Amino acid sequence: MDNPKQALGSFTVVTLLFAGVLLLYNWSSSFSNELVLSQKEPLCEQSNFTTTNVEAYGDGLDTALAKTSMENKTVIIAIVNKAYVEQDVESDTTMLDIFLGSFWLGEGTRSLIDHLLIVTVDRTAYDRCQFLRLNCFRLETDGVDFEGEKIYMSQDFIKMMWRRTRFLLEVLKRGYNFVFTDTDVMWLRNPFTRLSKNETEDFQISTDTYLGDPWSEKHLINTGFYFVRSNNKTISLFETWYGQKDNATGKKEQDVLLHLIRSGIIEHLGLRVRFLDTLYFSGFCQDSKDFRAVATIHANCCRSITAKVADMKVALRDWKKFKRLEANSTVKPQWTKHNWCWQSWGRPIKTNN
């Protein structure tokens, strides 16, 4: 007869072995199911480019603005596409390169790069911006190709200008003041030293030709450079401005804003608008008369990127010559005529007198 203790021990061993087999089977099944489920998900984390940088607005814009802005929630914004960042076969530089180069050559401008947000409207421009380690935001518009050069007053040019206005309205709604600058504006001195610090002034905008009165609504404005404070009045202005888009066939956004100003919107909204003196905020339409005062130069009154780039290079050469003069020099430097831009309209070459 078997020993009862041995029988009990054998039964216990068998029971434990059986339980172990069951546990191993269940664990194996569970692991297999988890593996199958996990393989339905991406094997590596996908880029968030389409959800952060490409989205029209969203959290990506909040992040970009917060990173770029100054302590007073002011940011410098420029908008670029492929034509502004990529060299063609015959060129040795780009408009973006010249624009950024002016921050290096200017007085008190290098640190401002930290507060410059480059808004790109196509993938090439975004990639170039990232390569240069700038503050970049990708803005995408469904169904619209903003990649190539947009000749002044072409339909694509007008569409791009309106898209810009819509984006800048969104920046204001998020509580940020901004300087908007075209990339054909050269920053030779810190413009904030010449912009009014009076917080009751809502909008300061450049002019093609200065008339002597900073409050005169007779000025021909230029939307290539302006400073806006975020408040209810400026948001209303931009909403009204953008709201005119569908009733402005064949007109660029600058023409529509000028019409609104001439129609009394400044008084209607209770805005204070300063029209900037070309002595400090100059352009090819009207050169600054004083190298020692000028802050920015805009390649306005010019039709093509090729012409702008050529004359911007000449203007920077003039600036570098001026910078080499002694502080007590009696030489009165002059700007070289902007012949490439002049010819872009089919006009004969000008010569310096």
Side-chain angles (χ1 to χ4, degrees), residues 1 16 21 38 43 74 80-81 91 100 107 129 152 159-160 177 186 200 214 236 238 266 278 287 303-304 308 319 321:
M1 184 174 180
L16 290 172
V21 170
S38 68
L43 296 178
T74 298
V80 299
N81 68 352
S91 66
L100 296 174
E107 296 178 359
C129 180
Y152 182 75
K159 286 179 182 178
M160 194 160 72
N177 316 312
M186 292 165 283
T200 67
S236 293
F238 272 67
I266 292 177
T278 54
D287 291 320
R303 193 162 187 267
S304 70
K308 285 175 182 283
W319 171 254
K321 286 180 179 178

Side-chain angles (χ1 to χ4, degrees), residues 258-282:
L258 179 62
H259 176 73
L260 288 172
I261 291 172
R262 298 279 173 85
S263 299
I265 197 168
I266 292 177
E267 182 178 0
H268 176 72
L269 294 177
L271 290 158
R272 277 180 61 80
V273 178
R274 177 184 292 271
F275 300 92
L276 297 173
D277 191 339
T278 54
L279 179 67
Y280 310 111
F281 302 93
S282 69

Side-chain angles (χ1 to χ4, degrees), residues 134-274:
L134 301 169
N135 298 310
C136 314
F137 179 76
R138 172 81 192 274
L139 178 64
E140 189 170 68
T141 303
D142 292 338
V144 181
D145 173 22
F146 286 140
E147 192 170 85
E149 177 178 1
K150 308 307 175 192
I151 296 295
Y152 182 75
M153 287 308 294
S154 66
Q155 286 302 308
D156 283 346
F157 172 87
I158 292 171
K159 286 179 182 178
M160 194 160 72
M161 295 304 99
W162 280 116
R163 185 66 186 91
R164 181 176 84 180
T165 304
R166 178 180 159 195
F167 173 78
L168 295 174
L169 167 60
E170 185 65 24
V171 173
L172 289 177
K173 286 182 175 180
R174 290 168 189 254
Y176 288 88
N177 316 312
F178 64 82
V179 168
F180 174 77
T181 176
D182 278 338
T183 51
D184 62 349
V185 176
M186 292 165 283
W187 289 48
L188 303 182
R189 289 188 176 89
N190 184 342
F192 290 100
T193 63
R194 293 297 183 182
L195 291 168
S196 172
K197 297 176 178 61
N198 187 338
E199 294 187 1
T200 67
E201 294 183 22
D202 306 294
F203 193 15
Q204 301 177 58
I205 188 167
S206 61
T207 59
D208 283 345
T209 304
Y210 186 62
L211 302 178
D213 178 1
W215 311 111
S216 173
E217 297 176 16
K218 296 179 181 179
H219 282 99
L220 288 176
I221 59 169
N222 194 301
T223 53
F225 183 94
Y226 56 88
F227 174 50
V228 189
R229 297 185 187 278
S230 175
N231 57 44
N232 290 336
K233 291 183 289 184
T234 56
I235 290 171
S236 293
L237 172 64
F238 272 67
E239 286 178 335
T240 304
W241 183 12
Y242 184 73
Q244 298 292 310
K245 174 177 71 72
D246 294 333
N247 298 321
T249 304
K251 292 183 179 180
K252 61 183 183 296
E253 46 38 275
Q254 180 176 289
D255 298 332
V256 173
L257 179 58
L258 179 62
H259 176 73
L260 288 172
I261 291 172
R262 298 279 173 85
S263 299
I265 197 168
I266 292 177
E267 182 178 0
H268 176 72
L269 294 177
L271 290 158
R272 277 180 61 80
V273 178
R274 177 184 292 271

Side-chain angles (χ1 to χ4, degrees), residues 1-192:
M1 184 174 180
D2 293 335
N3 188 321
K5 290 184 178 180
Q6 289 179 340
L8 180 61
S10 299
F11 177 78
T12 302
V13 170
V14 170
T15 302
L16 290 172
L17 287 172
F18 181 74
V21 170
L22 286 176
L23 181 62
L24 182 61
Y25 175 80
N26 289 333
W27 178 83
S28 177
S29 299
S30 175
F31 178 79
S32 298
N33 289 336
E34 288 178 4
L35 182 60
V36 170
L37 288 173
S38 68
Q39 287 177 341
K40 292 180 181 179
E41 300 298 326
L43 296 178
C44 62
E45 184 178 351
Q46 291 183 339
S47 168
N48 64 353
F49 185 83
T50 56
T51 59
T52 299
N53 297 314
V54 174
E55 65 187 355
Y57 303 124
D59 293 339
L61 179 56
D62 285 331
T63 301
L65 291 170
K67 177 186 175 185
T68 310
S69 70
M70 304 173 190
E71 290 183 1
N72 63 354
K73 293 194 74 174
T74 298
V75 63
I76 303 165
I77 296 176
I79 298 180
V80 299
N81 68 352
K82 179 179 178 180
Y84 292 83
V85 307
E86 194 169 71
Q87 295 179 16
D88 61 32
V89 175
E90 298 179 356
S91 66
D92 59 359
T93 190
T94 68
M95 186 178 291
L96 180 64
D97 292 335
I98 296 174
F99 173 67
L100 296 174
S102 73
F103 283 80
W104 175 259
L105 294 169
E107 296 178 359
T109 51
R110 292 183 186 180
S111 63
L112 295 178
I113 287 285
D114 294 337
H115 306 294
L116 171 64
L117 180 62
I118 300 292
V119 179
T120 64
V121 296
D122 57 60
R123 184 58 190 250
T124 301
Y126 180 80
D127 289 346
R128 178 65 174 166
C129 180
Q130 290 284 80
F131 177 77
L132 293 170
R133 299 289 191 266
L134 301 169
N135 298 310
C136 314
F137 179 76
R138 172 81 192 274
L139 178 64
E140 189 170 68
T141 303
D142 292 338
V144 181
D145 173 22
F146 286 140
E147 192 170 85
E149 177 178 1
K150 308 307 175 192
I151 296 295
Y152 182 75
M153 287 308 294
S154 66
Q155 286 302 308
D156 283 346
F157 172 87
I158 292 171
K159 286 179 182 178
M160 194 160 72
M161 295 304 99
W162 280 116
R163 185 66 186 91
R164 181 176 84 180
T165 304
R166 178 180 159 195
F167 173 78
L168 295 174
L169 167 60
E170 185 65 24
V171 173
L172 289 177
K173 286 182 175 180
R174 290 168 189 254
Y176 288 88
N177 316 312
F178 64 82
V179 168
F180 174 77
T181 176
D182 278 338
T183 51
D184 62 349
V185 176
M186 292 165 283
W187 289 48
L188 303 182
R189 289 188 176 89
N190 184 342
F192 290 100

Side-chain angles (χ1 to χ4, degrees), residues 292-348:
R292 293 173 175 79
V294 65
T296 62
I297 302 175
H298 187 187
N300 52 11
C301 291
C302 197
R303 193 162 187 267
S304 70
I305 290 178
T306 299
K308 285 175 182 283
V309 166
D311 277 339
M312 288 169 73
K313 288 166 66 176
V314 172
L316 281 182
R317 185 187 65 199
D318 291 342
W319 171 254
K320 287 186 280 188
K321 286 180 179 178
F322 161 73
K323 293 291 289 178
R324 286 201 295 265
L325 293 175
E326 298 292 336
N328 59 354
S329 173
T330 58
V331 173
K332 293 184 178 180
Q334 290 187 330
W335 300 105
T336 302
K337 297 296 183 183
H338 314 298
N339 282 325
W340 279 85
C341 286
W342 188 253
Q343 286 182 290
S344 71
W345 301 97
R347 298 165 179 164

